Amino acid sequence: MSRILAIWLTLCALPLQGQQIAITIDDLPFVLRSRTTPQEGLKIVHDINAAMKPYNIVATGFAIGSQIDEETITVMDVFTGAGHKVGNHSWSHPDYDTLTRWAFRREVRRTDRALRAWMQGPKYYRFPFLREGKTEKSRRVADTVLKNQGYVNAPVTIDNDEWQFNLEYVDALEMGNQSEAQRIAQAYLKHMKERTAHFQSRARREMGRDVSHVLLLHMNKINADHLSDLLAWYADTGWTFITLVEALHDPLFSAPETYTGSKGLSQIERVLGE
């Protein structure tokens, strides 16, 4: 029996563990820096912290190193001060496939230095655009660089287009179109529920069980205003909130990936071969 088949049978034989989800938030300190004042960015973080507090969520936020400066230090302090963790999301948010090995190493190391004041415990890296290397060789290179820097890759299971809804939402708010903003917010919530159901269903159908899910969000305005609605839906439908550390213990995240290519995908898709 091949190693891959053996691991696959083990994954499918694991018992159902219930609906568990870790909350991760990309693009700290906050999204759309050029269109958001430091005061507005700080409010976004306060509001997202407030949305998570009733559920005792310990989220992991992935920060872009170049965005951390004197104007955003307070934002980072507020996020971690609420008990949340910080991970590395590169220095300049590049597509990994556009980088040499040494450029990727610099992206990781430079951000590592910028985050030392806030990054405690295990060190996690989130690839921008979820693009981890379009060839097996480039993936191995990334794995080696991250391991040498003491990092663990932090994939997601519930991928989505929340970032696109945020762009449209901010545009509507800036135009003073409240009804359109509300329509977009409702579409965002519907989309997030559909994406959750899709990846949960695929894991159950093709792996025979629930996996520990990792949700991808961003530190943005639409979440500041409506994350509380999304989290209430998760809680009301029986989901348990766990940490990223707990989620990554699921054997899904150590299973061999059968997908090789340039797409940014859910870990479920990577393991199943898209």
Side-chain angles (χ1 to χ4, degrees):
M1 183 182 297
S2 70
R3 176 174 174 270
I4 292 178
L5 179 58
I7 293 175
W8 187 250
L9 291 176
T10 299
L11 282 171
C12 292
L14 289 170
L16 293 175
Q17 60 187 25
Q19 303 174 136
Q20 298 181 331
I21 190 166
I23 306 300
T24 64
I25 306 173
D26 282 9
D27 294 359
L28 271 65
F30 49 84
V31 172
L32 295 180
R33 180 84 183 271
S34 64
R35 298 170 63 181
T36 309
T37 68
Q39 293 74 25
E40 291 168 339
L42 184 59
K43 187 176 187 307
I44 285 172
V45 176
H46 274 300
D47 289 346
I48 287 178
N49 282 351
M52 295 189 290
K53 186 175 181 180
Y55 306 99
N56 297 314
I57 292 170
V58 177
T60 299
F62 290 89
I64 300 171
S66 64
Q67 297 293 311
I68 298 172
D69 54 31
E70 291 299 321
E71 290 187 334
T72 58
I73 285 175
T74 301
V75 169
M76 299 296 294
D77 287 341
V78 166
F79 183 73
T80 57
H84 304 301
K85 308 301 181 181
V86 171
N88 189 323
H89 197 35
S90 80
W91 180 258
S92 60
H93 206 273
D95 181 338
Y96 167 65
D97 285 318
T98 67
L99 302 175
T100 65
R101 177 193 186 112
W102 307 114
F104 177 59
R105 182 171 175 266
R106 285 194 299 271
E107 287 276 335
V108 175
R109 292 188 68 182
R110 197 173 181 186
T111 306
D112 183 82
R113 291 193 293 269
L115 295 179
R116 283 179 183 170
W118 303 285
M119 194 161 49
Q120 306 295 327
K123 298 203 298 185
Y124 294 109
Y125 183 84
R126 168 71 50 78
F127 282 89
F129 314 108
L130 302 180
R131 295 173 187 165
E132 302 179 11
K134 62 184 177 183
T135 66
E136 290 188 12
K137 180 180 179 180
S138 62
R139 280 169 46 191
R140 288 196 301 270
V141 167
D143 288 343
T144 299
V145 169
L146 291 177
K147 183 177 180 180
N148 288 343
Q149 298 299 315
Y151 278 91
V152 174
N153 180 26
V156 307
T157 60
I158 303 175
D159 188 20
N160 55 78
D161 293 326
E162 159 254 47
W163 61 273
Q164 182 63 49
F165 286 91
N166 180 67
L167 289 175
E168 297 170 2
Y169 183 74
V170 170
D171 286 343
L173 290 177
E174 289 183 351
M175 291 186 293
N177 192 337
Q178 294 295 329
S179 61
E180 177 64 5
Q182 186 58 31
R183 184 198 66 78
I184 294 167
Q186 292 306 309
Y188 145 84
L189 290 170
K190 181 179 179 181
H191 170 76
M192 298 300 289
K193 294 173 185 178
E194 186 277 326
R195 289 287 83 194
T196 299
H198 169 79
F199 287 112
Q200 183 185 38
S201 175
R202 189 162 188 198
R204 286 175 169 176
R205 183 176 65 252
E206 300 185 50
M207 296 178 176
R209 68 183 184 93
D210 277 312
V211 301
S212 294
H213 284 278
V214 179
L215 177 66
L216 174 62
L217 297 171
H218 291 82
M219 189 62 77
N220 60 28
K221 178 63 173 171
I222 201 166
N223 283 317
D225 292 350
H226 299 285
L227 180 58
S228 58
D229 297 326
L230 180 62
L231 295 178
W233 174 78
Y234 278 117
D236 290 346
T237 52
W239 287 83
T240 299
F241 298 109
I242 60 175
T243 66
L244 178 62
V245 174
E246 292 170 322
L248 294 183
H249 285 150
D250 192 295
L252 167 70
F253 298 100
S254 58
E257 296 182 12
T258 58
Y259 170 79
T260 299
S262 59
K263 294 180 181 178
L265 298 174
S266 158
Q267 191 67 10
I268 293 170
E269 295 169 320
R270 289 185 173 279
V271 170
L272 294 176
E274 190 184 2

